[in-house]
């Protein structure tokens, strides 16, 4: 079942790339194809097609420790625009080395040694006194298990770190971020980690223990099928950094000195900027902060649901780094926090002055793109729900 699920999803992803090509979809397609190969190895093993096992076991030993790094690379493609292919080499190399070692050992083994290894080790986990090429093959299989186990915790941490950096970037560039977050990718990472841990435990117990009781395979088969279907479904719907490229392109032109996406720029204006006081001061000698507050509060720019930092920079006719420094350093807030705090104050005024308005209307008129975002931010800034706040007014 998991094998067919992965195969079907891989084909769907491949067709999707014809209409919407992206690095993330391409990586997810490779992930599904490799997972298909992994479960093909399981399928051949449990069907006892021993003549195919030297090939499928080699592929299985390559794919098994390769799946989790590929999912991490998928996350990096969603969160980083400059993620180099060369960065994937340290992640993939251990798995490829293990697979090559297993394949070379099979090639060096005689037919009798292959039969002995398959029957005694793969199906009974009992090969006492193995030496020579048989011992090397046993060690190669155990190395696969070690590599699989060692990568779980580091990749989980690195995956969360990449998603967190992406969320920080959103907070500093967009006022509405709920529809851009990688929430479900994070959930899939947690679930995927748990299933990988269960797979590691199963590897320690041994597949051979399921041979005589195939009914036990139904539960993990269904669970893994549902997980892989969810990963594919989320992947088809999920947008990442590539969908933000056009919107962030202005920032890259204005602030080429900024560090990679996911990290905040270190503000160090060049002498050229200091020589142009018009970039900092208006004709009325107001500071950039005064101009920003006038733009946002008096002109109520925050009521635009999809307001971006680029829009504010353009409206002020200023430099992105100066605006960033004003909001994040002087005010001590992210762009999203600054805008949404103004929206919540506007919502509170509406609730006080127009108690007949529904909360749907309040959220919409306050500039929130969704009710989820309205309720979440109201609770964040006020400490209570809109209904609790409204009730407190009557009290």
């Amino acid at each position: 079942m998991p094998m067919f699920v992965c195969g079907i999803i891989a084909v769907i992803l491949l067709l999707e790339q014809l209409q919407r090509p992206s690095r993330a979809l391409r990586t997810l397609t490779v992930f599904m194809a490799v997972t298909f190969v992994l479960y093909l190895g399981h399928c051949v093993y449990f069907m006892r097609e021993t003549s195919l096992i030297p090939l499928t076991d080699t592929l299985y030993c390559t794919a098994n420790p390769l799946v989790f790094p590929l999912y991490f690379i998928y996350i990096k493609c969603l969160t980083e625009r400059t993620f180099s292919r060369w960065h994937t080499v340290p992640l993939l190399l251990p798995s490829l080395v293990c697979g090559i070692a297993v394949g070379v050992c099979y090639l060096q083994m005689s037919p009798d040694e292959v039969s002995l290894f398959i029957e005694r080790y793969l199906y009974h986990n009992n090969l006492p006194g193995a030496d020579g090429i048989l011992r090397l093959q046993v060690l190669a299989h155990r190395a696969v298990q070690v590599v699989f186990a060692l990568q779980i915790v580091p990749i989980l941490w690195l995956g969360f770190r990449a998603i967190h950096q992406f969320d920080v970037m959103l907070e500093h560039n967009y006022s509405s971020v709920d529809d851009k977050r990688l929430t479900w990718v994070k959930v899939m990472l947690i679930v995927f980690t748990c299933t990988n841990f269960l797979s590691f435990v199963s590897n320690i117990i041994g597949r051979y223990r399921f041979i005589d009781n195939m009914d036990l395979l139904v539960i993990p088969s269904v669970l893994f099928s549902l997980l892989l279907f969810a990963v594919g479904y989320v992947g088809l719907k999920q947008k990442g950094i590539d969908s933000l490229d056009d919107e962030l392109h202005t920032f890259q032109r204005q602030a080429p000195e900024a560090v990679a996406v996911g990290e905040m720029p270190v503000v160090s204006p060049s002498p050229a900027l200091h020589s142009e006081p018009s970039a900092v001061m208006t004709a009325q000698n107001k500071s950039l902060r005064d101009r920003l507050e006038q733009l946002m509060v008096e002109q109520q720019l925050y009521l635009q649901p999809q307001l971006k930092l680029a829009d504010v920079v353009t409206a002020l006719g200023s430099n992105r780094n100066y605006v960033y420094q004003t909001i994040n350093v002087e005010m001590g807030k992210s762009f999203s926090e600054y805008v949404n705090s103004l929206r919540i104050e506007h919502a509170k005024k509406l609730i006080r002055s127009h108690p007949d308005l529904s909360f749907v209307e309040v959220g919409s008129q306050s500039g929130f793109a969704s009710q989820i975002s309205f309720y979440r931010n109201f609770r964040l800034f006020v400490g209570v729900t809109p209904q609790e706040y409204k009730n407190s007014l009557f009290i």
Side-chain angles (χ1 to χ4, degrees):
M1 186 185 298
M3 180 184 69
F4 284 117
V5 168
C6 292
I8 292 171
I9 293 178
V11 173
I12 293 174
L13 290 171
L14 198 60
L15 294 175
E16 180 69 16
Q17 287 183 75
L18 298 178
Q19 299 179 350
R20 183 168 60 94
S22 73
R23 298 174 307 146
L25 280 179
R26 189 161 56 247
T27 304
L28 190 61
T29 305
V30 175
F31 165 83
M32 285 296 174
V34 171
T35 310
F36 171 84
V37 171
L38 185 152
Y39 285 105
L40 174 63
H42 278 308
C43 183
V44 171
Y45 175 85
F46 287 112
M47 293 181 67
R48 285 186 174 273
E49 297 290 341
T50 55
S51 61
L52 298 175
I53 283 183
L55 173 60
T56 57
D57 188 44
T58 299
L59 296 175
Y60 169 81
C61 290
T62 305
N64 190 31
L66 198 60
V67 170
F68 206 29
L70 281 174
Y71 191 73
F72 170 68
I73 294 172
Y74 164 66
I75 292 176
K76 297 291 280 187
C77 290
L78 285 174
T79 58
E80 290 187 16
R81 184 169 46 254
T82 57
F83 186 64
S84 172
R85 294 180 180 179
W86 291 106
H87 294 166
T88 65
V89 173
L91 296 170
L92 306 182
L93 189 59
S95 306
L96 297 176
V97 170
C98 288
I100 292 173
V102 170
V104 170
C105 287
Y106 271 121
L107 291 175
Q108 297 300 315
M109 295 163 65
S110 66
D112 291 339
E113 288 174 325
V114 171
S115 298
L116 179 64
F117 177 80
I118 292 174
E119 186 61 32
R120 297 294 298 276
Y121 184 79
L122 293 184
Y123 282 103
H124 294 90
N125 197 36
N126 183 21
L127 193 60
D131 56 4
I133 194 65
L134 286 175
R135 180 172 177 77
L136 290 177
Q137 185 67 294
V138 171
L139 293 175
H141 277 71
R142 290 177 179 172
V144 171
Q145 296 178 356
V146 171
V147 171
F148 181 87
L150 291 178
Q151 66 188 5
I152 294 179
V153 174
I155 288 182
L156 176 64
W157 180 78
L158 291 172
F160 270 110
R161 183 172 179 267
I163 294 174
H164 172 71
Q165 290 180 340
F166 182 78
D167 288 342
V168 170
M169 182 274 296
L170 293 177
E171 292 282 348
H172 286 275
N173 290 287
Y174 299 92
S175 61
S176 302
V177 299
D178 289 336
D179 61 332
K180 300 176 180 65
R181 292 185 185 274
L182 304 179
T183 304
W184 282 107
V185 175
K186 186 186 297 185
V187 172
M188 289 296 103
L189 177 61
I190 296 173
V191 176
F192 200 53
T193 302
C194 294
T195 54
N196 271 324
F197 178 75
L198 293 177
S199 297
F200 170 66
V201 174
S202 300
N203 287 335
I204 294 177
I205 296 174
R207 290 185 297 174
Y208 67 96
R209 297 184 184 276
F210 294 90
I211 287 293
D212 297 326
N213 195 352
M214 297 287 283
D215 292 340
L216 293 176
L217 289 175
V218 174
I219 295 176
S221 177
V222 172
L223 289 177
F224 280 109
S225 298
L226 291 174
L227 168 66
L228 292 166
F229 175 81
V231 169
Y233 180 80
V234 170
L236 281 170
K237 302 294 183 179
Q238 186 65 63
K239 294 181 180 180
I241 189 67
D242 289 342
S243 65
L244 307 177
D245 276 355
D246 293 339
E247 300 172 5
L248 292 177
H249 187 57
T250 304
F251 299 162
Q252 291 180 312
R253 293 201 309 268
Q254 292 179 342
E257 69 275 21
V259 295
V261 168
E263 301 175 9
M264 292 301 102
V266 178
V267 181
S268 55
S270 63
L273 292 176
H274 285 293
S275 65
E276 298 181 8
S278 59
V280 183
M281 306 291 289
T282 63
Q284 294 80 16
N285 286 329
K286 289 187 176 182
S287 68
L288 182 60
R289 180 167 179 171
D290 291 336
R291 293 170 53 209
L292 174 64
E293 291 181 344
Q294 180 185 22
L295 176 70
M296 297 296 293
V297 178
E298 295 182 12
Q299 299 183 28
Q300 295 186 325
L301 197 64
Y302 59 85
L303 294 181
Q304 296 183 15
Q306 298 299 332
L307 183 66
K308 303 186 293 291
L309 183 61
D311 301 327
V312 177
V313 172
T314 302
L316 290 173
S318 182
N319 176 274
R320 188 234 178 202
N321 276 359
Y322 283 118
V323 178
Y324 166 83
Q325 186 179 34
T326 300
I327 297 175
N328 294 270
V329 179
E330 294 184 21
M331 296 182 179
K333 301 176 181 179
S334 68
F335 178 70
S336 177
E337 289 173 335
Y338 175 57
V339 174
N340 286 321
S341 65
L342 295 175
R343 290 171 175 171
I344 291 301
E345 288 301 317
H346 187 87
K348 289 164 64 178
K349 291 179 182 178
L350 286 177
I351 294 175
R352 290 195 299 265
S353 59
H354 302 282
D356 55 318
L357 286 177
S358 68
F359 292 131
V360 174
E361 294 173 307
V362 171
S364 176
Q365 293 182 26
S366 299
F368 288 99
S370 68
Q371 285 301 295
I372 295 176
S373 179
F374 168 59
Y375 277 91
R376 182 179 65 82
N377 281 283
F378 199 98
R379 185 76 185 229
L380 177 66
F381 288 103
V382 185
V384 295
T385 64
Q387 185 62 57
E388 291 171 340
Y389 176 76
K390 186 174 183 179
N391 293 340
S392 69
L393 296 178
F394 289 102
I395 294 174

